[in-house]
Amino acid sequence: NFLRLSGMAPKMAENEIPIVAEGKSGVKRGSSQNIHRRFPTVASYVSELGGDKGIVIEKVLIANNGVAAIKAIRSIRRWAYDVFGDERKVKFVVMATPEDLRSNAEYIRMGDVIVDVPGGSNNHNYANVTLIVELARLHGVHAVWAGWGHASENPILPDTLANSNPPIKFIGPAGPPMRALGDKIGST
């Protein structure tokens, strides 16, 4: 740090880090190594990696709650920080029941947009495919993450999202594989 503050340290690119010890790779102390290229936008990242389907995911509906939602948001934010240097490059719309709101659930505080949904059993909220698709369209999300349980195992959800105008990406398996795996005889 002293060398850097005094201006005597070698100049390094923004995406390089100093190596502080000699490791198995033989990199000497004080040298630098390019560990990860940063991209200015999600669209530039998709383009650089050859994405050609026209869907750039910058806004995701989290159609789950609790630990599942927390893990998804944290994971995507960590990835966004690593790739873009900004954990907020991907925005999150989170569904919240009155019960979730009363409990001051952590995933709600992590969301960029909070959508009130009916409480009670999950067929009124997190397992309600019609509600999830309507919210996805209304909030202009590019993708839906349903996690595990609830609507995540319902093949109607990815099918309906894919047929939306514009199409909305389902983060998970497509409908046909879901159907095959749900058929215990046909999947073996």
Side-chain angles (χ1 to χ4, degrees):
N1 284 340
F2 170 76
L3 289 177
R4 185 161 290 193
L5 291 174
S6 67
M8 297 176 6
K11 297 283 185 202
M12 290 187 288
E14 188 178 323
N15 61 346
E16 293 181 331
I17 60 167
I19 303 300
V20 294
E22 184 173 344
K24 293 179 184 175
S25 65
V27 177
K28 301 285 186 209
R29 180 182 198 97
S31 66
S32 66
Q33 179 180 8
N34 188 335
I35 61 160
H36 192 69
R37 179 171 165 209
R38 292 258 166 101
F39 292 85
T41 65
V42 178
S44 65
Y45 174 80
V46 171
S47 175
E48 181 77 18
L49 294 177
D52 61 353
K53 294 186 179 174
I55 298 175
V56 175
I57 299 172
E58 295 177 314
K59 194 174 190 184
V60 178
L61 172 65
I62 302 294
N64 208 310
N65 61 350
V67 173
I70 291 168
K71 286 184 173 200
I73 295 169
R74 281 186 183 158
S75 177
I76 295 170
R77 286 223 167 117
R78 172 65 191 262
W79 169 81
Y81 182 79
D82 288 346
V83 174
F84 308 109
D86 180 0
E87 69 175 21
R88 299 275 180 177
K89 283 287 186 184
V90 177
K91 303 295 183 202
F92 295 99
V93 176
V94 298
M95 296 170 58
T97 65
E99 295 86 0
D100 294 324
L101 290 166
R102 275 195 300 279
S103 71
N104 194 26
E106 183 178 355
Y107 83 95
I108 296 170
R109 295 190 308 271
M110 296 171 76
D112 297 294
V113 176
I114 302 162
V115 180
D116 294 334
V117 296
S121 64
N122 73 353
N123 63 326
H124 296 295
N125 43 61
Y126 303 109
N128 186 328
V129 171
T130 303
L131 176 65
I132 293 167
V133 173
E134 286 178 12
L135 291 175
R137 289 177 182 153
L138 177 68
H139 290 277
V141 302
H142 306 115
V144 171
W145 184 84
W148 53 84
H150 303 304
S152 69
E153 299 170 13
N154 187 339
I156 296 170
L157 180 57
D159 291 346
T160 306
L161 291 169
N163 292 325
S164 294
N165 189 9
I168 300 168
K169 182 71 179 150
F170 177 71
I171 301 174
M178 245 193 250
R179 281 184 190 81
L181 291 172
D183 177 1
K184 303 300 182 209
I185 295 169
S187 66
T188 57

